[in-house]
Amino acid sequence: MRLALAILLVFIAGCGGGPDVAMLRRDVTARLDQALPPGTLAVASLERKGSQSDPGAPQGETRRTIYFDAELRLTRDFDFGAWDAPGIAGLISAFGAGPKGISGITPGGNKAGDVLRIHGTALYSRAGTAWRQVVPAGYEPEAAPAYATTMPQHGVATAFEAMRKVVEAVPVGAAPAQRAIIEEEMTAAAAAIRSRLARAANGYAIAAGPEHGQYLRLAQALARSEATRIVPLVTRGGDDNLRLLRDGKATLALSQADAALDAYRGRGSFAAEGPYTGLRAIGSLYPEPIQVLVRGDGNLRQMANLAGRRVAIGPIGSAARLTALSVLAAHGLRIDEIRPLEVPFGEALPMLQRKEIDAVIHVIGVPADSVRAALLAVPLRLVPLSGPAIEKLVGGDRTYIEYVIPRGVYATQDEDVRTIATAAVLLAAGDLSETEITAITGFVFGGSRDLVALGSAQGAQISATTARRGLPIPLHASAAKKLDELAAEAKRPGDAPRDLRK
């Protein structure tokens, strides 16, 4: 009797802890073959590191997150940073890993025999005594650094107290416009202070983006690298960054290529400021595809199906909103032919989950963390753009590029999805010297550091050989010269790797 009870307890404990190593290895291999060309990577070793229950599981369902370490060996040469092939996005999605959980990615491409090390997660649901894998558990993006790291001194304390009184004087039930003014001014003030402090310390402030965003994580990864002092600035996004750059409140900025073109020409949301003819690019960094998301349990499968539907297109003034309108127009849909909702992407996805809207259009690099997280709650589907619309958009003056989101980028994505992309671009202020531009170009586009391991998934796609792709504004002359040097070095056969930042 006691023996039977002991066996039963062991059985129950095994069920509670999730699947065993054999099942985990089988499922990881299957996910790899879905996300990358089959046979690209072989699982050399896999060690289960523990598990915990999933607090976000649907009511009545038992889920466990499994943690594991794995070593993968490449069976052939493969470039995880290629713009036009499945790569780092599929790897992250297959393993439910954060960028810093993957090491061994080599800029310019890995060679057969290279070993990647992964700290991964897998999510399982229990049905009776059996376990089945569901969407990989993923990870929480790193929080942005605090705006201030020391207690204010006397003079600063006075200014700080004055600002606090201004904010507290606004009634709790103040109009949204008043709250927006406070947020805008405080964000701008914080960015301006950090920018000036960076320059005073011979560093470079880079206007990045909101907390948890891809731009900010890339800036943080660069800041963790040696040789150049980079100070990431928390901002509201690409349009805000372009204005901070123009106003001299940032030295470098990240933005969409199409938004940079609007600023350069003084059109769209930049019409009031006039042309920013002094704007110069250091280079294109990585593609940001247009992603049209709908619920997977619905019947919306083509862009034409969005007529009369509730579609989140982004807030007024955002670069993503203008891109969304361009995509709709290319499909023959005017804004008055849909029911537009001008809400941020972070608010739109939960609304899609709750069936409060029908579709979301956004511009973001893959894999998008917010989309991966949303897949845990409800199946989502990517809607492809039509062939004629893609031709019209790519043939326009915004330098869009044709793009395919490869199957496996998201865990429930079984097919390639045709769309377009705009490039994420690094931009420079006009007060930087030629020597500084050359050094920054070499720092960002050269070297052998692993930006993925430093926290940016998109960092794997940065290369001197793609730095001119999708670039609609003038490239700084010093940047162009340095990029040519780096690209030539990258193509030179037989040379031993060396640090290209010098």
Side-chain angles (χ1 to χ4, degrees), residues 136-182:
Y139 65 100
E140 289 295 325
E142 177 180 334
Y147 291 115
T149 57
T150 58
M151 291 296 291
Q153 302 301 313
H154 177 69
V156 178
T158 301
F160 198 80
E161 179 65 16
M163 182 175 289
R164 184 184 65 80
K165 290 179 179 179
V166 169
V167 174
E168 289 182 348
V170 178
V172 175
Q178 290 178 294
R179 294 197 299 271
I181 289 171
I182 293 172

Side-chain angles (χ1 to χ4, degrees), residues 57-90:
Q59 188 173 3
E61 182 177 346
T62 299
R63 286 184 175 182
R64 291 197 74 82
T65 300
I66 313 300
Y67 301 95
F68 63 91
D69 289 345
E71 288 191 353
L72 311 176
R73 191 175 303 278
L74 272 85
T75 59
R76 62 187 181 88
D77 295 354
F78 193 80
D79 185 1
F80 288 96
W83 282 29
D84 301 317
I88 187 62

Side-chain angles (χ1 to χ4, degrees), residues 91-340:
L91 196 62
I92 286 174
S93 201
F95 284 96
K100 288 195 288 185
I102 300 175
S103 61
I105 301 295
T106 302
N110 284 76
K111 300 296 184 182
D114 285 355
V115 174
L116 307 184
R117 292 175 174 83
I118 312 287
H119 302 293
T121 59
L123 186 62
Y124 282 82
S125 175
R126 189 173 70 186
T129 59
W131 292 94
R132 64 176 182 84
Q133 188 180 23
V134 291
V135 178
Y139 65 100
E140 289 295 325
E142 177 180 334
Y147 291 115
T149 57
T150 58
M151 291 296 291
Q153 302 301 313
H154 177 69
V156 178
T158 301
F160 198 80
E161 179 65 16
M163 182 175 289
R164 184 184 65 80
K165 290 179 179 179
V166 169
V167 174
E168 289 182 348
V170 178
V172 175
Q178 290 178 294
R179 294 197 299 271
I181 289 171
I182 293 172
E183 180 184 355
E184 179 179 342
E185 292 300 328
M186 292 187 70
T187 301
I193 291 169
R194 287 175 61 82
S195 176
R196 291 183 65 185
L197 288 173
R199 288 301 280 159
N202 296 318
Y204 302 97
I206 179 167
E211 296 188 19
H212 307 315
Q214 293 177 350
Y215 285 175
L216 184 60
R217 285 205 299 282
L218 173 59
Q220 289 170 334
L222 291 171
R224 293 185 185 103
S225 301
E226 72 286 356
T228 300
R229 177 175 166 77
I230 296 290
V231 178
L233 302 182
V234 178
T235 71
R236 292 175 298 170
D239 279 15
D240 195 23
N241 296 346
L242 286 159
R243 292 187 170 92
L244 289 170
L245 195 67
R246 185 169 188 164
D247 294 341
K249 295 179 180 177
T251 310
L252 303 168
L254 298 169
S255 188
Q256 292 176 204
D258 52 354
L261 180 61
D262 281 349
Y264 180 76
R265 292 184 173 176
R267 67 185 187 186
S269 62
F270 300 94
E273 292 100 325
Y276 183 8
T277 55
L279 182 64
R280 291 294 181 270
I282 292 180
S284 296
L285 300 169
Y286 59 86
E288 294 189 281
I290 284 73
Q291 302 183 50
V292 183
L293 290 155
V294 299
R295 288 179 61 96
D297 55 4
N299 58 2
L300 301 179
R301 297 185 176 276
Q302 300 177 3
M303 290 296 295
N305 299 147
L306 300 186
R309 302 285 187 162
R310 300 164 299 178
V311 183
I313 58 175
I316 293 176
S318 69
R321 179 182 181 275
L322 295 175
T323 306
L325 293 177
S326 298
V327 168
L328 289 167
H331 288 87
L333 292 170
R334 301 188 309 271
I335 192 169
D336 60 355
E337 293 178 313
I338 63 170
R339 296 160 63 187

Side-chain angles (χ1 to χ4, degrees), residues 409-424:
V409 163
Y410 298 113
T412 57
Q413 181 193 343
D414 297 325
E415 299 178 348
D416 293 346
V417 176
R418 292 187 66 198
T419 183
I420 61 167
T422 184

Side-chain angles (χ1 to χ4, degrees), residues 295 312 341 343-344 346-358 360:
R295 288 179 61 96
L341 286 90
V343 296
E347 296 178 19
L349 281 176
M351 294 175 69
L352 182 60
Q353 292 171 324
R354 297 190 299 265
K355 298 186 178 182
E356 296 171 359
I357 58 176
D358 302 303
V360 177

